[in-house]
Every structure is written in structure tokens, then in C-alpha cells.
């Protein structure tokens, strides 16, 4: 129904066309589909990574690890085989929240099939797998964080956020959960660990590339107009800007190149409000509620 309101095919808003044109599908894809977020980085890795060219590369070197591993598989097999292996591991990470429920099945609580079906038929699973987006690999460490937060040793949850941040930098926002329960040392461990890992990964590419990455991360994406309905870079901040456009509060011609700072400010303001709420309720914060709320924080920022 919403698709008809905006004269848009609803499926075009969460997946690419089947013939997406990112490869030679007869040799490198599955059917007519190429899985763009797999093929594009694969081509990028054929040359030296450069964060100072016109590619607006906003991902750190650690984000390319899945693609690099896939390239090793490709050397011994083929592009299509490496794609299949990549997608299988990606799907496994996406369904990882159901794995810990297997123990419950043996106790006579058969919940896993239901949760499994809910996940594989959900929009995030379909859209991530449809594009082959490596962001889906972060689901596994985020699951570990959710299960081990405030349970047992603190290190599994801390390392889990660091690994998720290595895949996509916005996941460092999940560490706000430690602020909410007044575990400031654990929060510092996550931030320091994430920064050190990112800096170390750039030692192989030079300081100038690190500076270029920071610039690209801040202005991302200066080349995509806000009026573009295709949600290549969804965020809650972008959604708010879009609503303001519909309400004619912000001019329709407003774009990322001119409005990045305002867009970023919206996300930062929302994050600040959440942190203040957590602080004011710090004596009554329930960790059961803190975890799912903080897992949603990365959607505040416009990054792929």
C-alpha cells in the first residue's frame, strides 16, 4: 500500500533487481544475480585500497577481511564458488541468534524452528543476503554480546563488540550499553580496543589513508542526493530528514553534499538524548531492556 502511495515498486526498496549488472552472471553470479556488495569489493581488492580517491570509501581495512578470504577461495576454485561459500557463511551468521536455542530444543521446548523461520523470512535477512552485504557477519558477534552481557566473564561481550566494529564502525555505538549500567571501564575497553584495531589495520596503508577514511566517514555519502528514494544508506537520521522534507520543513532539493552536517547532527542529537535518558534512569536501568535498545543505536547513523 505504501508503495502505491509513492508510486514505487515496494520490492525495489529493499533489494536490487535480479539482473543487477555487477558481473558476468553466467560465470560469476547465481542465475542472473551478481550480489553487488560481494562483487564491488572483490573488484576493488584487485587494486591497492585507496581512501583518498573519488571512490568515497567509508569502510576501514578490517571490513574487507571477508572479501579477502573469499578471494583466496577464488584463487583455488572460481568466482562463483567463492560467492557460494561467502553466502553460506553470511547466512550462517544471520541465523546465529537461533543457534543458542538448540539446547532448549533438547529440553522439550521446540522454539528454534519458529525463530529460524521468522529470521529467514524477515526483511533484514532477505535484503542483506540479496546484496551479499558483509555487515551481516556482524550479527554473530552481536549475538554473543547480547547473550554474554552481564553474564559470566566480561571479555566475550567486549571482544564481540570490537569484532562487530571491525566489520562496520557504527557498531561501536552498542557499547553505550555499558554506560547505561555504569560499567565505564568496560566501555573504555571497547572504545580503546576498537580504535587500536582500526589504527593497526591502517599501518599497512599509511596515515594519509587513515585521514582520508575519516573524511569519507564523516561526509558519507556526499555523492548520493537525499531525494533518492532508493535506501542504499538507511538510517533513522535519514528517515527524520525525509519526513521533514515531506512536511516541507526542509527543502526537497536538500542533499547529502550540503546537508551532511545537519544529517549527522540529527543522529548525534538522538544519541545524546538516549545517553541522557540512560543516565537519568541509571539506578533503575534494566539490562534486559538496555541490550535491545543499544543494539538499535547503529541505525542512527547513515552508513552502509
Amino acid at each position: 500500500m505504501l508503495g502505491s502511495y509513492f508510486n514505487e515498486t515496494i520490492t525495489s526498496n529493499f533489494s536490487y533487481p535480479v539482473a543487477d549488472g555487477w558481473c558476468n552472471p553466467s560465470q560469476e553470479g547465481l542465475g542472473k544475480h551478481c550480489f553487488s556488495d560481494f562483487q564491488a569489493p572483490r573488484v576493488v581488492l584487485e587494486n591497492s585500497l585507496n581512501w583518498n580517491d573519488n571512490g568515497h570509501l567509508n569502510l576501514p581495512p578490517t571490513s574487507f577481511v571477508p572479501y579477502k578470504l573469499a578471494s583466496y577461495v577464488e584463487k583455488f576454485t572460481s568466482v562463483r564458488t567463492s560467492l557460494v561459500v561467502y553466502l553460506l557463511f553470511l547466512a550462517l551468521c544471520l541465523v546465529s541468534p537461533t543457534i543458542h536455542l538448540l539446547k532448549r530444543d533438547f529440553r522439550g521446548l521446540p522454539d528454534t524452528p519458529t525463530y529460524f523461520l521468522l529470521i529467514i523470512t524477515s526483511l533484514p535477512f532477505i535484503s542483506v543476503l540479496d546484496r551479499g552485504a558483509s555487515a551481516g557477519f556482524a550479527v554473530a558477534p552481536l549475538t554473543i554480546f547480547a547473550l554474554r552481557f552481564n553474564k559470566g566473564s566480561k571479555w566475550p561481550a567486549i571482544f564481540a563488540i570490537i569484532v562487530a566494529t571491525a566489520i562496520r564502525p557504527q557498531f561501536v555505538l552498542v557499547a553505550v550499553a555499558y554506560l547505561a549500567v555504569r560499567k565505564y571501564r568496560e566501555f573504555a575497553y571497547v572504545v580503546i580496543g576498537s580504535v587500536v584495531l582500526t589504527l593497526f589495520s591502517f599501518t599497512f596503508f599509511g596515515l594519509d589513508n587513515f585521514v582520508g577514511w575519516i573524511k569519507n566517514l564523516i561526509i558519507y555519502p556526499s555523492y548520493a542526493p537525499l531525494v533518492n528514494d532508493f535506501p542504499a544508506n538507511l538510517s533513522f537520521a535519514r528517515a527524520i530528514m525525509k519526513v521533514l522534507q515531506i512536511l516541507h520543513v526542509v527543502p526537497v532539493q536538500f542533499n547529502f553534499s550540503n546537508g551532511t552536517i545537519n544529517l549527522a547532527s540529527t543522529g548525534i542529537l538522538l544519541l545524546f538524548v538516549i545517553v541522557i535518558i540512560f543516565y537519568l534512569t541509571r539506578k533503575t536501568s534494566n539490562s534486559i531492556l538496555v541490550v535491545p535498545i543499544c543494539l538499535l543505536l547503529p541505525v542512527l547513523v547513515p552508513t552502509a
Side-chain angles (χ1 to χ4, degrees), residues 85-264:
V85 173
Y86 175 91
L87 292 176
L88 286 175
F89 277 99
L90 180 59
L92 181 62
C93 288
L94 290 172
V95 300
S96 59
T98 65
I99 295 176
H100 78 284
L101 295 174
L102 290 174
K103 293 181 180 179
R104 297 179 62 187
D105 279 353
F106 297 128
R107 298 172 185 173
L109 297 173
D111 294 330
T112 302
T114 302
Y115 288 120
F116 179 79
L117 288 173
L118 286 173
I119 288 177
I120 65 173
T121 57
S122 66
L123 178 56
F125 180 91
I126 295 172
S127 58
V128 170
L129 202 63
D130 175 75
R131 293 184 61 170
S134 63
F137 289 109
V139 175
L142 291 175
T143 299
I144 294 174
F145 163 77
L147 294 175
R148 297 302 301 268
F149 183 74
N150 269 350
K151 292 182 181 179
S153 174
K154 61 187 177 184
W155 295 111
I158 291 174
F159 284 130
I161 303 181
I162 293 174
V163 171
T165 303
I167 298 172
R168 288 293 188 277
Q170 66 264 33
F171 288 119
V172 73
L173 295 178
V174 176
V176 170
Y178 288 116
L179 295 179
V181 294
R182 292 173 294 168
K183 292 190 175 183
Y184 307 117
R185 184 176 298 178
E186 285 81 351
F187 175 80
Y189 287 151
V190 172
V191 174
I192 293 173
S194 300
V195 170
V196 169
L197 182 59
T198 302
L199 287 174
F200 176 75
S201 68
F202 272 102
T203 59
F204 301 98
F205 300 95
L207 180 61
D208 58 329
N209 272 316
F210 174 74
V211 175
W213 171 65
I214 294 296
K215 291 179 180 178
N216 293 338
L217 194 64
I218 293 174
I219 67 172
Y220 179 78
S222 60
Y223 55 86
L226 190 63
V227 295
N228 188 354
D229 285 326
F230 187 81
N233 312 299
L234 285 175
S235 70
F236 192 63
R238 180 190 172 100
I240 289 178
M241 292 293 288
K242 194 68 178 179
V243 170
L244 292 178
Q245 285 186 344
I246 295 174
L247 297 176
H248 301 290
V249 177
V250 175
V252 175
Q253 65 270 21
F254 210 71
N255 57 47
F256 272 114
S257 58
N258 296 323
T260 301
I261 299 302
N262 291 328
L263 189 67

Side-chain angles (χ1 to χ4, degrees), residues 50-67:
N50 186 353
W51 283 263
N52 291 298
D53 58 14
N54 294 323
H56 303 287
L57 192 59
N58 70 313
L59 300 177
T62 51
S63 295
F64 288 89
V65 171
Y67 306 114

Side-chain angles (χ1 to χ4, degrees), residues 251-291:
V252 175
Q253 65 270 21
F254 210 71
N255 57 47
F256 272 114
S257 58
N258 296 323
T260 301
I261 299 302
N262 291 328
L263 189 67
S265 299
T266 304
I268 293 172
L269 177 61
L270 291 170
L271 179 62
F272 179 75
V273 169
I274 291 173
V275 171
I276 291 297
I277 292 174
F278 277 148
Y279 178 78
L280 294 176
T281 60
R282 63 189 182 278
K283 294 183 179 180
T284 58
S285 293
N286 189 332
S287 61
I288 297 177
L289 296 177
V290 165
V291 170

Side-chain angles (χ1 to χ4, degrees), residues 11 30 36 44 69 99 217 234 290 292 294:
T11 54
L30 295 178
S36 58
V44 169
L69 294 176
I99 295 176
L217 194 64
L234 285 175
V290 165
C294 289

